[in-house]
Amino acid sequence: MALERTFSIIKPDATRRNLTGKIIAKFEEAGLRVVASKRIHMTRAQAEGFYAVHKERPFFGELVEQMIAEPVVVQVLEGENAILKNREIMGATNPANADAGTIRKEFALSIGENSVHGSDAPETAAEEIKFFFNDDEIVG
Ligand code: DAT
Ligand code: MG
């Protein structure tokens, strides 16, 4: 399979606890390469736009508040089968269901404060990368 790119966010619960390096180490150990990275403090409009697919869900308001509470690190990860591989490294949305060794098992505080976001399909990966990065910010 050809190289693939996916979009990742190290969420506020993780940046607050200074876990950025430990999370990036998990990506790198699994063979994913960080080809773009920046630390930003998301605006409310960005968080609402990024998670628009969830806007009718009961947890939407809480999700937006959590995403803008502290800075985040947005990244593009590149590698073989990067989208699925990243989802495996992240673990299940609810850390109670996450496999041993995954980021969410080791670091997540709750289903909402679950330390990382990762794209779930090629279409969303492309959209999410574009949402936060210009082409010239991605250096493969
Ligand atoms: P994922 O982040 O694994 O792709 P998702 O897309 O279903 O999960 O949901 C996006 C985020 O919304 C998730 O990381 C945390 C939050 N969330 C999802 N389900 C939730 C719930 N039942 N209660 C609180 N927050 C939830
Ligand atoms: Mg999702």
Side-chain angles (χ1 to χ4, degrees), residues 13-14 17 19 22-27 29-30 84-110 113-116:
D13 73 89
R17 290 177 291 149
L19 294 171
K22 285 189 170 140
I23 290 173
I24 294 172
K26 294 269 198 198
F27 298 144
E29 282 160 11
L84 190 62
K85 188 178 277 183
N86 182 41
R87 295 293 306 197
E88 287 171 1
I89 301 163
M90 289 164 59
T93 307
N94 184 345
N97 301 329
D99 288 340
T102 61
I103 291 169
R104 284 167 164 173
K105 187 64 169 188
E106 288 192 17
F107 303 126
L109 299 174
S110 65
E113 292 192 300
N114 59 3
S115 304
V116 279

Side-chain angles (χ1 to χ4, degrees), residues 11 51 54 59 63 87 93 104 111-112 114:
K11 292 184 177 183
Y51 278 121
H54 295 304
F59 56 80
L63 177 60
R87 295 293 306 197
T93 307
R104 284 167 164 173
I111 187 167
N114 59 3

Side-chain angles (χ1 to χ4, degrees), residues 31-108:
L32 296 178
R33 183 175 296 276
V34 178
V35 295
S37 183
K38 57 188 175 188
R39 180 175 164 98
I40 61 169
H41 200 140
M42 251 192 234
T43 64
R44 183 175 297 277
Q46 277 177 313
E48 287 177 352
F50 183 75
Y51 278 121
V53 65
H54 295 304
K55 66 175 182 295
E56 306 302 336
R57 310 281 287 277
F59 56 80
F60 182 69
E62 181 189 330
L63 177 60
V64 169
E65 293 303 329
Q66 286 168 347
M67 292 304 288
I68 67 177
E70 300 276 342
V72 298
V73 178
V74 290
Q75 299 189 298
V76 180
L77 307 177
E78 185 180 84
E80 295 288 326
N81 217 6
I83 297 168
L84 190 62
K85 188 178 277 183
N86 182 41
R87 295 293 306 197
E88 287 171 1
I89 301 163
M90 289 164 59
T93 307
N94 184 345
N97 301 329
D99 288 340
T102 61
I103 291 169
R104 284 167 164 173
K105 187 64 169 188
E106 288 192 17
F107 303 126

